């Protein structure tokens, strides 16, 4: 049985494809649960401990984008709980894959920049400084200084 078929059947059992349910609801649910996974660093049981993953899944039973039939019955229905977990694992797998691709691209860009700096324009050592991603992130995350703070420092 293919992963796509298994996911489709799980989504059907949860009620995402019931009559009258907008077709985009499933996509919205995937985006919403994915957003929560990234925020809580819970992209699957491999990232979160098994207990933390189960707690995360239970907290996602109340998402407004979950199909109405699932929202009503998931707490008592173990089959629905399993279907929910199957779909959540698929989202987690895609998030991890996306994060790995982003990390690879950042590393390649940093390596290319450092190689360019080492070679310089005429083949000699350039004055480029080494890029430290932690320092760059910290600089971006600093809040802007207000006018009153600026006046106090001068």
């Amino acid at each position: 049985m293919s992963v796509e078929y298994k996911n489709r059947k799980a989504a059907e059992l949860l009620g995402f494809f019931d009559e009258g349910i907008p077709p985009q609801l499933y996509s919205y649910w995937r985006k919403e649960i994915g957003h929560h996974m990234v925020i809580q660093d819970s992209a699957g049981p491999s990232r979160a401990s098994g207990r933390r993953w189960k707690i995360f899944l239970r907290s996602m039973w109340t998402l407004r984008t979950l199909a109405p039939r699932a929202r009503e019955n998931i707490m008592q229905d173990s089959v629905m709980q399993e279907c929910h977990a199957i779909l959540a694992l698929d989202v987690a797998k895609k998030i991890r894959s996306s994060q790995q691709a982003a990390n690879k691209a950042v590393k390649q860009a940093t390596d290319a920049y450092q190689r360019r700096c080492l070679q310089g324009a005429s083949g000699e050592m350039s004055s480029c400084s080494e890029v430290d991603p932690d320092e760059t992130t910290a600089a971006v995350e600093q809040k802007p200084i207000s006018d009153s703070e600026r006046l106090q420092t001068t």
Side-chain angles (χ1 to χ4, degrees):
M1 181 180 335
S2 73
V3 172
E4 292 83 17
Y5 178 79
K6 191 175 180 181
N7 290 345
R8 173 73 187 192
K9 284 297 181 189
E12 284 176 5
L13 284 169
L14 288 174
F16 279 109
F17 303 119
D18 287 356
E19 186 176 329
I21 302 295
Q24 63 271 30
L25 183 66
Y26 180 55
S27 297
Y28 292 142
W29 174 82
R30 290 179 64 88
K31 287 178 187 175
E32 189 171 18
I33 196 169
H35 175 75
H36 286 283
M37 284 180 188
V38 170
I39 288 173
Q40 297 180 23
D41 194 26
S42 296
S46 62
R47 289 256 175 97
S49 67
R51 184 172 183 275
R52 193 169 130 216
W53 175 246
K54 287 178 184 176
I55 291 169
F56 172 78
L57 285 178
R58 284 186 181 192
S59 70
M60 296 298 107
W61 291 350
T62 60
L63 288 181
R64 63 188 177 87
T65 54
L66 187 60
R69 178 164 41 118
R71 269 198 321 262
E72 285 182 18
N73 302 311
I74 197 164
M75 291 193 189
Q76 297 86 19
D77 191 336
S78 61
V79 173
M80 280 192 168
Q81 292 171 11
E82 183 61 29
C83 290
H84 185 265
I86 288 168
L87 295 176
L89 279 171
D90 186 57
V91 172
K93 182 179 86 174
K94 290 183 171 122
I95 287 172
R96 287 191 307 272
S97 175
S98 174
Q99 288 173 338
Q100 288 172 347
N103 291 342
K104 183 178 178 183
V106 168
K107 181 168 177 13
Q108 287 175 341
T110 302
D111 291 347
Y113 176 78
Q114 289 174 347
R115 276 194 307 277
R116 183 180 60 94
C117 288
L118 289 174
Q119 292 174 350
S122 60
E124 58 198 44
M125 192 68 156
S126 177
S127 65
C128 294
S129 63
E130 189 171 324
V131 175
D132 183 1
D134 293 332
E135 288 179 15
T136 306
T137 304
V140 170
E141 291 175 350
Q142 289 178 349
K143 70 174 191 171
I145 299 173
S146 68
D147 289 335
S148 61
E149 289 174 327
R150 192 173 290 129
L151 291 173
Q152 290 173 357
T153 58
T154 56

